[in-house]
Structure formats: C-alpha cells, structure tokens
Amino acid sequence: MDPESFLDLANQVTKLKMYPYFDLAHAALCCLAVKEDLSVGSQPFSRKHPLSLWASSMLVIFSGGILANLLLGEPVLAPLKANNQLLLSTVVWYLVFYSPFDVGFKFFKFLPVKIVCSALKEVYRAKKVHDGVTHAAKLFPNAYVIMIAVGAIKGNGAGFIKVGERLFRGVWTPTAMEFLVPNFSTKASMLAALVFVVDKKTDLISAPHALVYFGIVLFFVYFKLSSLLLGITDPFVPFENLFCAVFMGGLFDVIQETFYGKPKTEENGEVAKPKAE
Amino acid sequence: MDPESFLDLANQVTKLKMYPYFDLAHAALCCLAVKEDLSVGSQPFSRKHPLSLWASSMLVIFSGGILANLLLGEPVLAPLKANNQLLLSTVVWYLVFYSPFDVGFKFFKFLPVKIVCSALKEVYRAKKVHDGVTHAAKLFPNAYVIMIAVGAIKGNGAGFIKVGERLFRGVWTPTAMEFLVPNFSTKASMLAALVFVVDKKTDLISAPHALVYFGIVLFFVYFKLSSLLLGITDPFVPFENLFCAVFMGGLFDVIQETFYGKPKTEENGEVAKPKAE
Amino acid sequence: MDPESFLDLANQVTKLKMYPYFDLAHAALCCLAVKEDLSVGSQPFSRKHPLSLWASSMLVIFSGGILANLLLGEPVLAPLKANNQLLLSTVVWYLVFYSPFDVGFKFFKFLPVKIVCSALKEVYRAKKVHDGVTHAAKLFPNAYVIMIAVGAIKGNGAGFIKVGERLFRGVWTPTAMEFLVPNFSTKASMLAALVFVVDKKTDLISAPHALVYFGIVLFFVYFKLSSLLLGITDPFVPFENLFCAVFMGGLFDVIQETFYGKPKTEENGEVAKPKAE
C-alpha cells in the first residue's frame, strides 16, 4: 500500500458519517450490555418495568454526551435532540429486549455480527474521544487534564455511568465505580485523549492529523478484536504494574519493609470502612 | 354555558397568577408528603435536624425547576431566586413541622383544606408542564422527547427527586426510583406534555391553545379529586396493561411458552442482582 | 496599633494571592482528611486504586468550585483548568500518600506544620466564601438565600461533597450528609456568607469592606486555632440550642407534654425508616 493512498484512506476515516451504521452498532452493544447486566432477571424486569429499562438503556447509549455535557455546563439532555438517533436506539432496544423468541438478542449476540458491531463501535469511540477533546479544548484551551478527562468520559461513558444506570433500575452498587478498577476501554480512551491533546497542543507529533486519528482507530479496533477473539483482555496491565511498582509506593514499600517489617495494615488486605456509618 | 364565555374562562385560566395561593397549596402538600414520608420519625427528626429537614423540604417544593434546570444546563439554584416564594414555602414548612399542638399539620391535613389545596396544586402542575414544554421547545425546537421529559419532570418533580430528597435526610432508598413504578401524576404529566407538544408542533389539534390548556387542567383536577374522594388511583392501568400485553412481550411470551414451555427465569419472579456487588 | 495601619493591613489581606502557599495548605489538609477517612485501609487502598484515590482527592480539593459551578449552571470541571494549582495539588497528594517512610504524611501531620496550614486554609476559606457570595450576587442580584448557600458551599465544599467523594472510592455512607449534622466550618461559612450579604446589600454595616473581610478572616483563624489547640469544637452550639428551644419546637413541645404527656414517638428516639424499602 503506497503512502499516498494510505493517507487518503486515513482522511476518509476522519470524515466518516456516524449515522446510521455506527450509531446502530453502538446502541446494539449497549443494549446487550444492559441485558447481560440484568442476567436472568432481564425477562421479568423487561416485562414489569419497561420505562425504567428504556430510560436506563438510553442513559447508557447516550452516556458519553450526557456526562460530558454535565461536566462542561451544557444542557445534559442535549444528546437526545437527535431524533433519528434516538428512534434508531429505541428500535434496537425494542429488538434486543422484546423481539419474539429473543431473535433480536440472539442476532446481535451471534459472533460474526458482534465482531462487526464491536469494530464499528471502536471507530465510533475514536470519534467520540476526538470530539470530546476538541470540545473541551474550545472551552478551556489550556486545561489539559479537562481535555483528557472529557475525552475519556466521552469515549467510555458507559463505564462511568454504570452506577447511575443501575440506579435507574433500582439497583445500587457503589463499588462498581469506574475509577476503582478502570477497564481497558477507559484506559485506551484516556491514552487516545492524551495522544490527541499532544497532537493538538504541541509539535511533538509530526505526522498529519488524519494519520494520528487513523492510528488511534486501528489501535482501538485491533485490541477490541484481540479481546473478543484471542481473549487478550488488557495489554496495559504490565505497564501499569511497572508504573505502580516504581512510582506508586511499590519500591518504597519494599525498602520500608526491609527496615521495619511488614506493616500490620496489609494483613487484612481490605479497605477499612470510614468511621461515620 | 355558551362557547364564548367558556373560551373566556379558558383564557383566564391560562393567565392565572401562581403567587401566592397556588404556591402556598403546592408547598403545603409537599411538606405534608415529607412529613408523611418520615411517618412516626418526623417529630424527633424535625427537632434534631432542622437544617436537613428544611433543605429536603425546599428540594421537594422546588424540585421541578431544579431538575429541569439541571437537565437543560441552566443554574440549578435559579428557582430559589424568588424570595417571596421561598419565604412563603419556609413559613408553610415551619407551620407544618413546628406549630404548637401540630395545628399546622392538622389544618392542611383536614379533608376540605386538603381537597382545595390538591385542586390548586393540579392547576399549578398543568402550568408547570406547559412551562417545561415551552422552555425545552425554546432550547431544542425539534427535540420532542426532551420536551416531553422536561414537561413530565417539571410536572411531577417531587416523584423524580424522591431518592435525592431522602438522601438529604440521610436515608437511601434506591428502589424508590420513579422510573420503576411511575405514579399517576408522572404518567398524567407525560400525557399532558405530549398533548402540549402535539398542540405546539403539529396541526393535529384544531382547538385554540387556551382550550387545550384548560382541558389538561380539568383532566388533572378531575382525576386528583377522584383519587382523593373515590379512591380511583390510576385510570391509566388498563391501557398500560393492554399496551404491555401487545407490545412489551406479552403476546410473544405466550406464543413462546406454547412452543417451549415457561422459561425458568419467571419462577423466581425477582430481578436478579448484577454480578459486581 | 493605630487605625490607619490596621486598615492598611486589612486591605492587604483582601488582596492576598492564593497561589501557591494557600493552595498548598488547602491541598495538604484535604489529602490528610482523605487519608484519615481511609484510616488503616489507606496503605492497601492507595497501592491498589491510585486513580480512584487521585480522583477523590482532587474532588475534595476542588470541591467548593465544583459544587458551586454545578449549582450555578457553569462548567463543573472549570476549577481544574488552573494547571498550576492542579499540579501542585497532585504533588501534595503524591507526597501524602506515596512518599517513602510516610514522611509526607508525617510532615503535614506534625503539629506546628498543621497549625500553620490550618491558619492559611482559614484565610483561603474566607476568600472562597467571599468569592462565592460575589459570584452568586452577580448572577442573581436579589437572591439572598442563593448567595448564602453558594458562599457556604464554596467555604466548606469538602463537607458537602463527602458522600460523593466516598462514592468515588466505592464507599457509600448516606448518613454522612452534611445537612444532617453540619460541622463548625459549615456553620461558620454560612455566618460569614450572611455577613458578606448584609455588607454588600444593605447599609447596616458601616465599617469599610476590607475591615469586614478581615474580621471574618480573624474569626475563622481564631476558632480554628482554638479548636486545634484548646479543643473548643463548636462555639455555635449554645446559640443553636437556644434557637431550637425557642423556635424549633422545644418550648411548644414542653407545653404540649404538660397537657398530653410525652408522645410515644420519642421513646425510640430514632428516625423511622420510610415505607418504601
């Protein structure tokens, strides 16, 4: 593949229209996730509480935009103004939860379909991270942390909204906070947001913008497919462990233990409850 | 009653001033609801935690505006800027919770007073639904779902804020989410918001706007009084059951059971807990 | 001290730059508070969940601005745009949680250092209350309650955000709501906000603005140091008790008991649970 046509391809990717195929794939995977979160309870729950289920599914589907708008002081409901996208999402939601003989669920769960949807969704994610960074950069031109945070939240809104989305279904799981154990999508979105910020704000990356964008898309799609097909869940783990061992107390703790012995607090290994309860 | 004077009456209703009588009735019923939610604990709680009680009562009284502003990206505290209304609400709150011999509570609880207050509150609700739809339509002229959502939330803010209001009093009841089992006021507000949207955005309703508004007011008042006096709690239930039977899986489930027998998940009848807990 | 130079000093205090010393003291005390809230679990938690710990620490450090922006409809993340302050806070956070042999924590915990930090933080608090009142007054010139609320929340954001901050660490303590048992800082911030509102909106206070501001600073610092050194925790308690006895039912309850005897609800002394659970 010659560089010219490669750059052409990259340019095309940056200008992809998201509606309807990418929106459809995103909505389908979000509804699958909600249904799997409900596990065996999804059948009775969907029959008894359709409004709650619809609201929580839409919350997941539009989570990136909703959270980003909340954090940037813009109308929280604004993502719902795209009537086409909302209608498409509702149709997908209906198919996944209410189609006869569960065909909708089984269709989207069918591995080849799921793989295509996942690939499309990762392209969508790259676009959302990029949009988030650009949006935050317009409001706060020098606030790098805000750009990365908004990019990561737009990229993996479903993770950050999980606690709230379950609350919409009457279930409260405070330990499911995304910050505690960020999953791969969150970390990848943070990294992608960082790359976009570096690309936008510094001269460190000399490649054209379209190539950077295309690289992020390829990175997202590649690792998603690896995770689905090969079971590689998180390629960041070794780097994290190294980073934690060097900077987050690992080394110092070893030195300290050499001098003073193991502290008692590590025996229980559990996070202690705060006093006021 | 001749049509001319009926239309005149309808026009008058659309221009009713809400302050002070309607605001008073609304505040009184909200404080009653908070007091009844506390049940036997209201006496000791009101003596020990007046600030928490005041904050949660104000949250309920101004819930519609607070939630709508949050969702539309406007100052959340803005509804509190009406000093008169806030003072009136505080006086009502004081009378309900702290008057000697509980006369304030008993007065507003006295059936004739309660009926008058309820009727006034329903007129107030119709106005708030209308304001919510108009406000949302100004921001997002084509976002029908946002209009209906904001209308419903302004109309029955107390229902949507219940979980948060209890949290202000240190009580956490995630299963009290309004989405799970929406009460009559929520459904009626949604229906009214839908009617206002249809009236505003299409030509399907040929009646003058004042008549549509007046019809909604009558509908709200009529069913509230039915509920108070005759015990008719929810006239929507038969329609909902029909709708659920046709569209929300009822029919398909019966067909499916004919072929495959009852699924196991319905035996327990309970919503399963999510995995991460 | 002659009045001239006293006024000069007061004027200087109103113009103090907060960065870097006051910001440093504030960040250090916030991180100490988070570490103490984790108690014995802080060591394993900081090693296992650094992202969650960083997010919750930053949430506490910037809580005043974050909450005030949320309530006033401005970008919630805006306080994070000050890169210098964020970097400083992160360095302090790192020192408190990850420095070898816990020297960072022990340094800030060392009484003389802690006293200096506390004094600086109280100056910072006075400035934040003033900023909050000014900000709210610009948006809502006549909304006295909003001014006081925003002033109090900016002044003691850490108290109001405690429930949310613990949630960031996966811990849920609904009974830790600041409204239930407001601590001294909250009450002092409310009083200071009230004084600023009276000073700004009425002619009741004839002293120059700088003197009022300086008086608030002295009041904050004096009571903080009293609390640290002499163990005086809350000088408001007697006034509150008096106020509650007169206005919040105390007197009426006594009269009522004289007539009807003690109500049964006070026997258990506990707040009853709401019905829906």
Side-chain angles (χ1 to χ4, degrees), chain A residues 16-260:
Chain A
L16 275 175
K17 283 264 164 292
M18 288 298 121
Y19 182 82
Y21 302 112
F22 294 90
D23 280 327
L24 177 84
H26 172 68
L29 289 177
C30 288
C31 288
L32 282 195
V34 171
K35 183 147 184 166
E36 275 159 18
D37 195 47
L38 280 163
S39 70
V40 290
S42 81
Q43 232 264 353
F45 188 88
S46 65
R47 268 59 178 167
K48 277 190 207 154
H49 307 291
L51 180 67
S52 163
L53 190 61
W54 182 80
S56 69
S57 300
M58 292 304 124
L59 189 65
V60 175
I61 292 170
F62 294 97
S63 54
I66 287 174
L67 280 177
N69 281 8
L70 179 66
L71 294 177
L72 295 175
E74 303 193 356
V76 172
L77 288 183
L80 301 179
K81 80 180 163 192
N83 285 322
N84 280 343
Q85 203 186 332
L86 190 60
L87 187 67
L88 182 75
S89 304
T90 303
V91 169
V92 169
W93 165 79
Y94 188 83
L95 288 176
V96 168
F97 284 98
Y98 298 103
S99 59
F101 307 102
D102 240 5
V103 285
F105 178 67
K106 281 169 189 157
F107 173 74
F108 287 118
K109 191 106 183 110
F110 182 52
L111 195 62
V113 177
K114 197 174 177 184
I115 286 172
V116 171
C117 282
S118 299
L120 291 178
K121 181 175 168 158
E122 294 304 311
V123 179
Y124 193 65
R125 191 193 300 283
K127 186 177 161 58
K128 284 199 293 181
V129 173
H130 185 251
D131 286 358
V133 170
T134 312
H135 187 176
K138 212 171 282 168
L139 288 171
F140 305 108
N142 294 311
Y144 310 115
V145 173
I146 300 182
M147 290 178 217
I148 294 171
V150 173
I153 284 166
K154 277 205 103 163
N156 192 26
F160 288 98
I161 217 154
K162 187 179 276 169
V163 173
E165 175 255 326
R166 284 184 181 160
L167 178 59
F168 267 39
R169 292 190 266 112
V171 173
W172 184 243
T173 54
T175 50
M177 283 302 290
E178 185 66 17
F179 292 114
L180 280 176
V181 190
N183 62 20
F184 173 69
S185 300
T186 304
K187 292 180 216 160
S189 298
M190 282 171 78
L191 184 68
L194 179 67
V195 171
F196 284 134
V197 169
V198 169
D199 181 37
K200 192 184 269 290
K201 290 287 163 188
T202 71
D203 296 328
L204 291 175
I205 299 178
S206 57
H209 174 69
L211 271 190
V212 174
Y213 186 94
F214 191 48
I216 297 282
V217 169
L218 287 181
F219 169 80
F220 277 178
V221 173
Y222 176 78
F223 277 107
K224 187 71 193 181
L225 296 188
S226 307
S227 142
L228 273 176
L229 297 172
L230 308 173
I232 294 162
T233 47
D234 194 342
F236 287 127
V237 166
F239 300 101
E240 267 172 48
N241 288 343
L242 185 67
F243 179 80
C244 283
V246 176
F247 295 108
M248 291 298 155
L251 266 184
F252 293 141
D253 288 357
V254 171
I255 298 169
Q256 203 170 338
E257 278 164 30
T258 320
F259 283 88
Y260 299 111

Side-chain angles (χ1 to χ4, degrees), chain B residues 194-205:
Chain B
L194 179 67
V195 171
F196 285 134
V197 169
V198 170
D199 182 36
K200 193 183 268 291
K201 291 287 163 187
T202 71
D203 295 330
L204 291 175
I205 299 178

Side-chain angles (χ1 to χ4, degrees), chain B residues 37 40-41 43 45 47-49 52 75-77 81 83 86 94 98 100-101 166-173, chain C residues 70-73 140 142-143 145-146 172 174-175 177 179-180 247-248 252-253 256 260 265-266 269 271 274 276:
Chain B
D37 195 48
V40 289
Q43 232 264 353
F45 188 88
R47 268 56 178 169
K48 277 188 206 156
H49 306 292
S52 162
V76 173
L77 288 184
K81 79 180 164 191
N83 285 321
L86 191 60
Y94 188 82
Y98 298 104
F101 305 102
R166 284 186 180 158
L167 179 59
F168 267 39
R169 292 190 265 112
V171 172
W172 184 242
T173 53
Chain C
L70 179 66
L71 294 178
L72 296 174
F140 305 108
N142 294 309
V145 173
I146 299 182
W172 183 243
T175 49
M177 283 302 289
F179 292 114
L180 280 176
F247 295 108
M248 291 299 156
F252 293 140
D253 288 357
Q256 204 170 339
Y260 299 112
T265 50
E266 279 192 3
V271 179

